Every structure is written in C-alpha cells, then in structure tokens.
Amino acid sequence: MGRLAGKIVIVTGAGSSTGIGAAIARLAALEGARLVLADIDVTGATGVAQDIDAKIGDRVTHPIALDLTDEHSIRAMVSAAQQRWGGLHAIVNNAADTSLTGRDGRIETMDVEIWDRTIAANLRGTMLACRHAIPALRASGGGGAIVNIASGAALRGGPALSAYGVSKAGIVSLGQYVAAQHGAEGIRCNTISPGIIITPKTEAVFGGADNWERLQIHMLSPRLGATDDIGAAVLWLISDEGAYVNGQCISIDGGQMSHQNPLIDAVMPR
C-alpha cells in the first residue's frame, strides 16, 4: 500500500515525458494514486499515461486535453476525475504557457499582448483550476490538497520573463488565499517554486554545458535540480504526511534563493 493508495489526483502539464508533470504523475502512480493527466498536448499526455500504466501493470491513468485559457476545458478536466475515478483528492497545477517566453522581455518594451496572454493562461488558468477543484475536493470528503507550481522567477526580479515571473508570483499569493478561505474545511493549498530543473525546456532557455556550470556556481547544493526533486516534494504535500502544511510556498532550488548570489563567487570555494 503506497502513500497515495485510494487517492484520485489530477496532474496538469503532464504531456512531456521528460517534464516535471510526468515525473509527478509517475511517482504518484507508484504510490497508489489514480490519475487524470491533463495537457494541451493530449497526444503527449496519452503517451505518458500509457508508459505509467505499463509500468504499474494496471490502468491507473486517464489522459485528457486541457486548455488553461478555456474555463469549459478546466471544468471538464475536474469532471473527468469524478466520472472516471469517482472523486478527487488532490490536484497539482503544474501546467503553464511557456510558448511566449521568447517574446517575454522587459516591462518597458514588451508587447502588452504577451503580458495578457501569459497572465490569462498561467495565473487565471491556475485560479480557475482551483475554483473548480475545490467543490470536487469537498465532495470527496476529508478535505483535500492543492499544489500549485510557481517558479523561482516569482520570488526575484530578472532581466526578462517579466510576464512569466509576475504570473507565477500571483500563483504564490493565490495559494495563500485559497488556504485562508478553505483551510477550515480541511482543504490545503501549497505552492512549490522550483529553481533550475534540468528538462528539455530549460535546456532550450539556458543551454549548453558552460551555462549549466555557471548556474551551478550559484547553487548551494552540488548539482542542479531534477524533475524527481519536485515530484518528491509534491508527493509529500498531497499525502497524509503533509496534512499540517497549508498556505506555504516552498522553494525547491538547491539553496539558490537562500543566499547573496553576487557574493558567492568571491567567498565560496569551488
């Protein structure tokens, strides 16, 4: 019996086999969860679902298309968990629109349309996922868990990715409001802010061994992050082990945000 035996869990943004959402889904399945895997790339989500089912030796997943900008799509995702598995005990809001990051620059010069589309998908979409999940969590009895995935970009400013960072900062605040409003019902809402996690998407942004080495200098841990680092934290938060954790934002970043980065080259031997 795993830590999530009998639990029904939605994981959004699970369509990339090498991404954070897929890692969360795999670990949750190994712990006994029944899963809805939602992604705008439903073909990718189906592939991840098939891989998980083959590994478990049973049908434990249900892939579904998800458009974060479409409330009907979000409502259908929650309904799919109830209809396919009989309820909902946890939702992990990992999906985000990263297709615009190449045009997401400085506040002064960025296209306002990029801002609006990013906020609509990332922040509004996560809010709507919480909005529609809350009644389903309540109906399943015993409360439930929401984990929203933000970013280190939510906690510090930077030279670009203005809309993305602000959308993720809003997700941090959203988690606190959901926890404040529904904690008395046993519904927990926490946020994880990943640091530099090595995936094909981050490699496309940062790219190359030299850049990885430069980033590593600013971590306190001796390596950069892996998708399972985020998955392990999510499992703790949605399991009974995390029952007394609510309204928190947890940085899973190898210590990146815990020290004065400009000084590290001078004082930290490598």
Side-chain angles (χ1 to χ4, degrees), residues 82-101:
Q82 295 174 302
Q83 293 170 9
R84 178 66 179 87
W85 301 119
L88 182 65
H89 300 103
I91 181 169
V92 184
N93 291 312
N94 169 69
D97 185 351
T98 59
S99 67
L100 306 174
T101 55

Side-chain angles (χ1 to χ4, degrees), residues 1-101:
M1 297 291 287
R3 288 182 289 168
L4 300 180
K7 302 292 188 183
I8 300 158
V9 181
I10 294 172
V11 181
T12 73
S16 170
S17 63
T18 55
I20 289 174
I24 294 167
R26 290 189 192 100
L27 292 175
L30 289 171
E31 292 290 345
R34 295 293 187 266
L35 296 156
V36 169
L37 306 185
D39 201 288
I40 195 166
D41 177 10
V42 70
T43 301
T46 300
V48 171
Q50 291 171 342
D51 289 345
I52 290 172
D53 290 345
K55 187 169 187 177
I56 298 298
D58 191 11
R59 178 71 183 274
V60 300
T61 65
H62 178 68
I64 190 170
L66 170 66
D67 181 351
L68 284 174
T69 65
D70 181 357
E71 186 170 5
H72 297 291
S73 176
I74 294 169
R75 185 185 293 113
M77 171 186 69
V78 175
S79 295
Q82 295 174 302
Q83 293 170 9
R84 178 66 179 87
W85 301 119
L88 182 65
H89 300 103
I91 181 169
V92 184
N93 291 312
N94 169 69
D97 185 351
T98 59
S99 67
L100 306 174
T101 55

Side-chain angles (χ1 to χ4, degrees), residues 67-252:
D67 181 351
L68 284 174
T69 65
D70 181 357
E71 186 170 5
H72 297 291
S73 176
I74 294 169
R75 185 185 293 113
M77 171 186 69
V78 175
S79 295
Q82 295 174 302
Q83 293 170 9
R84 178 66 179 87
W85 301 119
L88 182 65
H89 300 103
I91 181 169
V92 184
N93 291 312
N94 169 69
D97 185 351
T98 59
S99 67
L100 306 174
T101 55
R103 298 165 61 194
D104 182 0
R106 298 167 62 90
I107 295 292
E108 181 184 12
T109 56
M110 71 180 301
D111 187 336
V112 174
E113 181 188 0
I114 301 302
W115 176 278
D116 290 344
R117 287 171 59 186
T118 302
I119 298 296
N122 297 355
L123 181 53
R124 181 177 180 273
T126 301
M127 179 276 293
L128 289 172
C130 292
R131 176 187 180 97
H132 289 290
I134 287 166
L137 294 171
R138 185 188 296 123
S140 294
I146 299 170
V147 176
N148 297 326
I149 305 298
S151 167
L155 308 178
R156 300 287 191 276
L161 296 180
S162 305
Y164 179 82
V166 171
S167 73
K168 292 295 189 174
I171 287 172
V172 175
S173 183
L174 171 69
Q176 295 170 335
Y177 275 90
V178 172
Q181 293 167 11
H182 298 281
E185 303 173 68
I187 294 174
R188 298 175 287 115
C189 187
N190 293 289
T191 306
I192 288 177
S193 290
I196 305 299
I197 306 298
I198 299 177
T199 69
K201 285 185 178 180
T202 56
E203 286 185 314
V205 173
F206 298 109
D210 290 343
N211 279 343
W212 288 131
E213 185 174 344
R214 289 167 58 197
L215 288 167
Q216 176 61 55
I217 290 172
H218 296 283
M219 307 300 163
L220 302 186
S221 296
R223 63 174 176 84
L224 296 174
T227 55
D228 278 358
D229 293 320
I230 307 303
V234 169
L235 256 63
W236 175 62
L237 288 172
I238 65 176
S239 74
D240 291 342
E241 294 172 0
Y244 203 55
V245 184
N246 204 2
Q248 302 303 304
C249 178
I250 303 172
S251 291
I252 311 294

